[in-house]
């Protein structure tokens, strides 16, 4: 987070604290008021009652909070109500009400004053309410302005990252290509140490290229520029392809690979490349964080609620602390672990995977225990095109698919050029 973002976030936290203090001041002033004051929600339930109000209705309840206020809620000009006590005595109260908010919800502040001869009704509660409302409006305006500044800063950051990713990827591809060609041409005269140096150049360059691609994809998703190519994706073929990529790394660590796909799950409507990207991220993490001789697996099952499929990637690895689970899917966050401090990564993979899953209309969940392993579940709809409109280019390319069965689509083309 940049210093500017941190300053804006600090300002928002400060404003939220001031809003909480406003409510605390209101409670304090209500407790000192000689008039009965209630805060009632729009359903008529009493949320707050000061001591004077409790004393007025002591014959009904020792605490008024949670009780129903059985009188008209809004009476800005003041109305008189008769209060009959248990001993038959009659008390006449003047009641006034005004709209307010409490705990960020609409509410009504009601003042109750016993009428005595020769006394003029006072508007202390109304004055207090007006003063607090003005202060609340000022603070809410500052909060909205701070939120707008944060949104602008985030947009500029996404723009910068996308531009820099493009600018870095082009020269990096050239460096990798020239290094490969040079290695091939000089291969016969290079020493073992020089061969190793070329391998380090290639490995480091491709790792950097993966990071740049992840940054570019993440900024595209966050800015709404990522377009999914929805098509029919054979599930077994997709899983086999993803497992093939990580198989060599798993074999080097002598990990057992297990696959279980329910036989009636044949295909889903999704973006083949992006779903494979998600599975590769989950499988690669399972391999990286599972000690030698362990096991990883991929299970594909129907969810009990129709319309969704679960792709579960599990492992017998080091596991994740419960307190760290909420941070897993945040960009650039890597969890501290004595067992994984030498494992490379940027903290972008899971954040990108979660955003791609949500763009499909699905999500990713996780279950884990330290020392016992983890289970990441990618949940996707059977038909992502029911949740994300199919691009017009795809409809035009596949008219038979677009107009088949119950999922027919119609396109209205309005054009003034004959």
């Amino acid at each position: 987070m940049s210093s500017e973002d941190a300053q804006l976030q600090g300002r928002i936290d400060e404003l939220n604290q001031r809003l909480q203090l406003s409510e605390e001041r209101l409670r304090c002033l209500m407790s000192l008021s000689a008039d009965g004051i209630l805060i009632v929600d729009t359903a008529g339930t009493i949320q707050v009652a000061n001591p004077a109000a409790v004393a007025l209705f002591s014959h009904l309840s020792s605490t008024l909070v949670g009780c129903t206020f059985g009188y008209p809620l809004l009476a800005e000009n003041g109305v008189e109500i008769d209060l009959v006590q248990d001993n038959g005595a009659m008390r006449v109260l003047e009641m006034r009400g005004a709209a307010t908010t409490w705990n960020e919800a609409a509410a009504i502040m009601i003042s109750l004053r016993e009428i005595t001869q020769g006394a003029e009704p006072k508007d202390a509660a109304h004055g207090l309410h007006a003063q607090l409302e003005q202060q609340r409006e000022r603070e809410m305006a500052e909060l909205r302005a701070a939120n707008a500044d944060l949104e602008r800063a985030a947009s500029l950051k996404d723009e910068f990252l996308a531009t820099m990713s493009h600018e870095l990827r082009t020269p990096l591809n050239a460096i990798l290509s020239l290094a490969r060609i040079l290695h091939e041409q000089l291969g016969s005269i290079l020493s073992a140490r020089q061969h190793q140096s070329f391998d380090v150049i290639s490995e480091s360059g491709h790792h950097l290229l993966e990071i740049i691609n992840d940054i570019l994809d993440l900024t595209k998703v966050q800015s709404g520029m990522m377009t999914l190519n929805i098509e029919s994706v054979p599930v077994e073929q997709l899983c086999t392809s993803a497992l093939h990529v990580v198989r060599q790394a798993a074999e080097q660590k002598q990990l057992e690979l297990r696959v279980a796909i329910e036989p009636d799950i044949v295909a889903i409507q999704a973006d083949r490349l992006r779903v494979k990207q998600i599975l590769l991220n989950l499988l690669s993490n399972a391999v990286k964080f599972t000690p030698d001789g362990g096991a990883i697996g991929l299970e594909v099952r129907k969810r009990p609620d129709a319309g969704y499929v679960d792709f579960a990637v599990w492992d017998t690895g080091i596991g994740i602390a419960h307190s760290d689970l909420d941070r897993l899917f945040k960009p650039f966050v890597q969890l501290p672990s004595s067992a994984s401090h030498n494992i490379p990564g940027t903290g972008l993979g899971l954040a990108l995977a979660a955003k791609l899953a949500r763009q499909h209309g699905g999500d990713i969940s996780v279950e884990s225990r330290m020392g016992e392993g983890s289970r990441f579940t990618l949940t996707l709809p059977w038909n992502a095109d029911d949740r994300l409109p199919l691009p017009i280019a795809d409809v035009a390319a596949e008219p038979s698919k677009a107009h088949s069965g119950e999922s027919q689509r119609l396109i209205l083309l309005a054009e003034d050029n004959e």
Side-chain angles (χ1 to χ4, degrees):
M1 179 180 290
S2 68
S3 60
E4 183 180 354
D5 290 347
Q7 289 175 356
L8 290 172
Q9 187 62 52
R11 188 178 174 194
I12 290 175
D13 293 341
E14 179 186 354
L15 290 173
N16 283 329
Q17 291 175 358
R18 289 169 63 183
L19 288 175
Q20 292 176 358
L21 287 174
S22 295
E23 291 189 352
E24 289 299 322
R25 285 197 293 268
L26 175 59
R27 288 181 185 272
C28 181
L29 291 172
M30 287 174 59
S31 67
L32 298 174
S33 174
D35 292 338
I37 300 178
L38 304 173
I39 294 180
V40 184
D41 64 20
T42 53
T45 303
I46 298 173
Q47 301 295 318
V48 180
N50 73 338
V54 173
L56 287 172
F57 294 94
S58 59
H59 64 291
L60 297 177
S61 175
S62 59
T63 174
L64 297 179
V65 175
C67 297
T68 300
F69 189 74
Y71 298 94
L73 294 179
L74 280 176
E76 296 187 3
N77 295 324
V79 295
E80 292 183 3
I81 59 174
D82 297 330
L83 188 63
V84 181
Q85 297 187 308
D86 289 342
N87 58 7
M90 176 73 72
R91 304 177 73 178
V92 181
L93 305 180
E94 183 186 55
M95 183 186 77
R96 293 174 179 266
T100 186
T101 58
W102 187 259
N103 288 335
E104 299 182 1
I108 298 165
M109 177 183 286
I110 294 173
S111 68
L112 298 163
R113 181 178 179 82
E114 186 171 3
I115 299 176
T116 56
Q117 188 174 3
E120 294 293 331
K122 297 181 180 179
D123 295 332
H126 284 283
L128 174 62
H129 171 266
Q131 181 181 358
L132 289 172
E133 279 299 306
Q134 289 175 359
Q135 182 179 354
R136 184 184 293 271
E137 286 177 6
R138 287 195 300 270
E139 292 171 347
M140 289 301 296
E142 292 178 11
L143 188 59
R144 285 192 292 268
N147 279 329
D149 290 341
L150 273 178
E151 289 176 3
R152 283 193 294 272
S155 177
L156 289 173
K157 180 178 66 178
D158 288 343
E159 260 183 63
F160 171 76
L161 288 175
T163 302
M164 289 304 299
S165 298
H166 278 295
E167 295 296 329
L168 290 172
R169 192 164 54 172
T170 301
L172 183 57
N173 277 320
I175 292 171
L176 289 172
S177 298
L178 291 173
R180 178 181 56 82
I181 294 171
L182 189 61
H183 191 196
E184 292 173 353
Q185 292 177 346
L186 302 177
S188 59
I189 62 173
L190 294 177
S191 65
R193 185 178 181 85
Q194 289 169 331
H195 276 292
Q196 185 179 9
S197 297
F198 271 104
D199 290 340
V200 171
I201 292 173
S202 178
E203 182 180 344
S204 300
H206 280 98
H207 178 62
L208 180 57
L209 187 61
E210 288 178 4
I211 294 174
I212 292 172
N213 287 335
D214 282 347
I215 292 174
L216 185 58
D217 285 343
L218 188 62
T219 54
K220 281 184 178 179
V221 173
Q222 290 183 156
S223 61
M225 296 172 60
M226 176 72 75
T227 301
L228 298 182
N229 179 27
I230 304 301
E231 59 181 338
S232 179
V233 181
V235 171
E236 184 175 359
Q237 184 184 96
L238 173 69
C239 295
T240 301
S241 176
L243 287 166
H244 179 72
V245 176
V246 301
R247 187 175 298 277
Q248 182 178 358
E251 290 175 351
Q252 288 177 351
K253 298 181 70 173
Q254 299 180 335
L255 301 180
E256 181 184 357
L257 279 177
R258 302 178 193 169
V259 185
I261 304 175
E262 289 189 353
D264 53 345
I265 301 178
V266 179
I268 61 172
Q269 296 290 321
D271 186 312
R272 183 194 305 263
L273 176 64
R274 298 306 176 184
V275 175
K276 182 179 177 181
Q277 184 178 357
I278 298 171
L279 291 178
L280 274 177
N281 180 271
L282 299 180
L283 288 167
S284 297
N285 284 344
V287 172
K288 283 194 294 186
F289 294 101
T290 301
D292 294 2
I296 65 172
L298 173 59
E299 299 174 359
V300 185
R301 305 185 186 281
K302 300 187 299 292
R303 285 181 66 90
D305 47 333
Y308 290 87
V309 180
D310 281 344
F311 295 78
V313 175
W314 58 267
D315 62 66
T316 59
I318 60 176
I320 305 164
H322 181 75
S323 58
D324 290 330
L325 292 179
D326 290 340
R327 303 169 53 210
L328 271 179
F329 300 100
K330 295 182 178 180
F332 302 103
V333 170
Q334 287 184 283
L335 303 182
S337 172
S338 58
S340 62
H341 67 279
N342 290 323
I343 297 177
T346 61
L348 286 173
L350 284 177
L352 177 58
K355 289 184 180 296
L356 289 173
R358 289 167 192 150
Q359 192 171 1
H360 274 83
D363 208 346
I364 297 180
S365 58
V366 59
E367 303 170 61
S368 185
R369 288 190 178 183
M370 291 295 291
E372 298 183 15
S374 304
R375 184 183 184 90
F376 286 81
T377 302
L378 166 65
T379 301
L380 292 176
W382 285 92
N383 298 295
D385 55 351
D386 289 342
R387 290 161 174 79
L388 294 173
L390 204 62
I392 291 179
D394 293 345
V395 176
E398 300 179 20
S400 59
K401 174 182 172 183
H403 296 279
S404 61
E406 297 180 354
S407 59
Q408 293 184 352
R409 301 173 186 272
L410 299 177
I411 299 176
L412 172 64
L413 178 63
E415 177 58 61
D416 61 356
N417 186 311
E418 187 176 356

